[in-house]
Amino acid sequence: MTTKGKKIAYWITTILIAFFMSGGVAQIAQYHGNPHGFVPVLGYPMYFFAILGFWKVLGAIAILVPRFPRLKEWAYAGIFFDLTGAAASCAAVGGYGAYGFHVLAPLVIAGLTVASWALRPESRIVGVLFPTKDGAPV
């Protein structure tokens, strides 16, 4: 992949993740709203989703702003854990939705998260994933 193609793919995946994570604003706003949606099926208290919504918004901001590579690493990890946890929670209670949407959608976005993380520019990389014997990156 060319450098330009990698940069374009990085920004497309990153913007998509930030868009999906910005839905956390709705989770915060619905804290006192109608609790008769999908939340009771999962068995989590309503305040848990308000907390998740707050951290989703902060994670979306963290992966978009320049600098702070360590913060970005934590944000990517948190987003990945949130999405895979959502898929596992829905699968555990049998809340698959139509065509398994509630399980598959978070897993697809988790895949985008991994792609964005893997495509990030050198300036956003904290360390080397697989160091060689001479210390140079693979």
Side-chain angles (χ1 to χ4, degrees), residues 5 15 22 44 72 123 129:
I15 289 169
S22 67
Y44 296 118
K72 289 178 190 314
S123 64
L129 188 58

Side-chain angles (χ1 to χ4, degrees), residues 1-26:
M1 179 181 286
T2 66
T3 304
K4 184 176 181 179
K6 184 177 176 181
K7 189 179 226 180
I8 291 169
Y10 165 76
W11 279 111
I12 288 172
T13 56
T14 303
I15 289 169
L16 283 172
I17 295 163
F19 171 74
F20 289 123
M21 290 298 109
S22 67
V25 172

